[in-house]
Amino acid sequence: MKSIFTPILFLAIAIATVGSYTSCSEADLPNNGDPRIRYVRITDPLSADSLLIGAGQGNLIAIIGENLGGAREIWFNDRQAVLTTTYITNTSILVSVPSLVPLDITNQMRIVFANGNTLEHEFEVQISEPFVNSINNEYALAGEVATIRGNYFYEPLTVTFTGGAVGELVSVEDDLLEVRIPEGAQPGPITVETNFGRTPSDFWFRDGRNIILSSDPFTGWWNAAFVVSNPGAGDPPAINGNYIRITRAISGWAWTEVAGGPASAMGDISKNIPDEAILKPENYYLKFEVNTLKPYNNNMIKFNFGLPSEVNDAYQWAPPFNTGGKWQTVAIPYEVVMQSYKDLGVTPVVNPDGYWTRILIHGPGDLDCDIAFDNFRIVPKIDENKSK
C-alpha cells in the first residue's frame, strides 16, 4: 500500500501546486487574463507615439494591448488579414491591413483567439480614392474603347468626361479601366468616381493646350507632302484635323526632314511653349499622338522642340515602338528632352519670338517607314486647376 500511496500523494500535491500557481498567475495577469487592446500605432520606432484610429489598405500597423498571444485571426470589416506567428506576442501584434476592398463596411477590427473568444475594436480601413495615371489615347474618337491606367478602381464606379458625358464601362480591374468614349466628351480632365472618392486626371482628354506642331494649317520649311488633310481608305482616321504621315523606305543615315523650321517659318505656333516649361522643364511633358502602321523598328527619330536653333542629334526617340495601326499617346518628360540638348552644348532660353522646330529621321539601319504623328504639345504634368 505504501508503494501505491506515495505516487498518488505526490500527484495530488503536484496538481494542487499547479492549480495554486495557475490561480496566482491569472490573478497577476493584467485585465484578469482577458485580451484587451489599448491602442493601435504605426510601426516606425521614431513615431511610436503616433496613434491610429484607422489606416490605409496594405499599411503595416502595431496593435498594442494585453493577453494577445492567443490571436489566431484578425478581420478588418469582412476581410481577413494575414497573420505571422512571429509577429504575435502577449502585448503586441504586427499586421498589415488587407488590400482587398471590403464589401461590408463596419469600421470594426475583430480578433479571434485560440479559445474561440473574440475581441472587437473600432478601426477604420481608409479605402483609397481612385488614382488616375494615364489613358492610352488622349484623342480617342467617340465610340472607341480607351484604356485608363491607375489604381483603386473599385466598382461601382463612373468615368465622367469634361462637359458631363459619362463613358460606358467595358471592363474594370483594380488598376485598369476600359471605357467607351461617349459623344459629347469635351477637352479637359477625366474624372473617375467610386464609393470612396472622386479623382480628376492630371492629363487632359483631347488636350489642345500649347500645341507646337499640328499642320493645322501647315507651316514651316518641310514637308507639306507628308500632311494628310482628307484621310482615304487605308489612312489612319483624323483625330484632330490634319496629321503627318511618312510612308517610304528610309535607308540608314539617310536625311529625312519630316516637319518644322525656324520660328520665322513656323509662325505663331512656335510661341506656344510656356516660359515656365523652358525654365522648369521638370514640370512638363512633351506629348504627341503616334500611329505606326508598320513597326518603328530601326533608324532614329529626332525631335527639336524649344531650341534657339537646330541640334542635329537630339532629342533621339529610339526604336522600337509599335501601335499596331492605332493612335496612341506618347508622354516624354520634358526635362529629359532638354537635358539632351544641354548635353550637346545648347541650353534653351526663353524667347518671346518663338522656337526652332523639327522632326528628323536620321540614324542607323534601314526603316520601312509607315508612321503618323499629330498634336505635338508641351503640357503640365500636374493640372493645378483641377478640383476634387
Side-chain angles (χ1 to χ4, degrees), residues 122-344:
E122 285 193 15
F123 193 82
E124 179 186 4
V125 177
Q126 296 160 349
I127 310 300
S128 300
E129 65 184 27
F131 167 66
V132 184
N133 184 43
S134 64
I135 187 170
N136 65 323
N137 179 8
E138 292 183 8
Y139 272 83
L141 300 173
E144 292 183 338
V145 175
T147 300
I148 299 173
R149 296 190 180 277
N151 211 336
Y152 313 118
F153 296 151
Y154 303 134
E155 294 187 274
L157 62 77
T158 57
V159 179
T160 306
F161 292 76
T162 295
V166 177
E168 173 194 346
L169 294 176
V170 176
S171 69
V172 179
E173 299 177 24
D174 285 356
D175 58 357
L176 184 148
L177 297 176
E178 289 188 335
V179 59
R180 194 174 306 279
I181 306 300
E183 296 286 350
Q186 297 178 13
I190 295 171
T191 299
V192 178
E193 184 169 4
T194 70
N195 287 339
F196 308 105
R198 60 188 301 273
T199 304
S201 62
D202 282 313
F203 67 83
W204 277 31
F205 182 67
R206 297 178 185 163
D207 195 348
R209 298 171 298 171
N210 309 335
I211 288 182
I212 53 177
L213 180 60
S214 69
S215 299
D216 293 307
F218 169 80
T219 58
W221 284 351
W222 325 279
N223 192 315
F226 291 148
V227 176
V228 177
S229 298
N230 297 296
D235 288 327
I239 54 173
N240 186 30
N242 300 340
Y243 61 83
I244 297 165
R245 184 182 181 190
I246 310 100
T247 56
R248 61 173 60 177
I250 299 176
S251 301
W253 299 111
W255 192 275
T256 306
E257 284 170 313
V258 173
S264 58
M266 292 301 296
D268 286 344
I269 197 170
S270 73
K271 304 176 184 179
N272 284 347
I273 299 178
D275 292 352
E276 187 186 55
I278 301 296
L279 300 172
K280 296 181 179 180
E282 65 275 10
N283 295 336
Y284 286 79
Y285 284 119
L286 165 64
K287 286 189 176 185
F288 55 93
E289 276 63 54
V290 62
N291 189 327
T292 59
L293 288 86
K294 295 178 181 178
Y296 168 40
N297 56 13
N298 227 338
N299 217 289
M300 188 71 69
I301 299 176
K302 301 174 181 179
F303 296 140
N304 282 188
F305 295 117
L307 294 169
S309 60
E310 62 187 321
V311 174
N312 289 333
D313 292 320
Y315 165 79
Q316 300 187 19
W317 188 52
F321 196 87
N322 186 19
T323 72
K326 298 180 179 180
W327 286 105
Q328 182 174 323
T329 299
V330 173
I332 302 170
Y334 194 46
E335 70 269 24
V336 175
V337 178
M338 296 288 266
Q339 189 60 51
S340 72
Y341 304 147
K342 294 176 183 178
D343 290 345
L344 292 176

Side-chain angles (χ1 to χ4, degrees), residues 107-124:
N107 291 326
Q108 291 286 320
M109 173 172 58
R110 179 166 55 93
I111 304 178
V112 181
F113 292 89
N115 61 5
N117 291 342
T118 62
L119 175 63
E120 292 189 346
H121 183 78
E122 285 193 15
F123 193 82
E124 179 186 4

Side-chain angles (χ1 to χ4, degrees), residues 77-107:
N77 299 302
D78 60 350
R79 296 296 188 185
Q80 186 175 1
V82 176
L83 277 180
T84 304
T85 55
T86 54
Y87 293 163
I88 302 173
T89 71
N90 272 338
T91 57
S92 68
I93 301 173
L94 299 184
V95 64
S96 292
V97 178
S99 294
L100 289 175
V101 63
L103 302 177
D104 181 21
I105 299 174
T106 62
N107 291 326

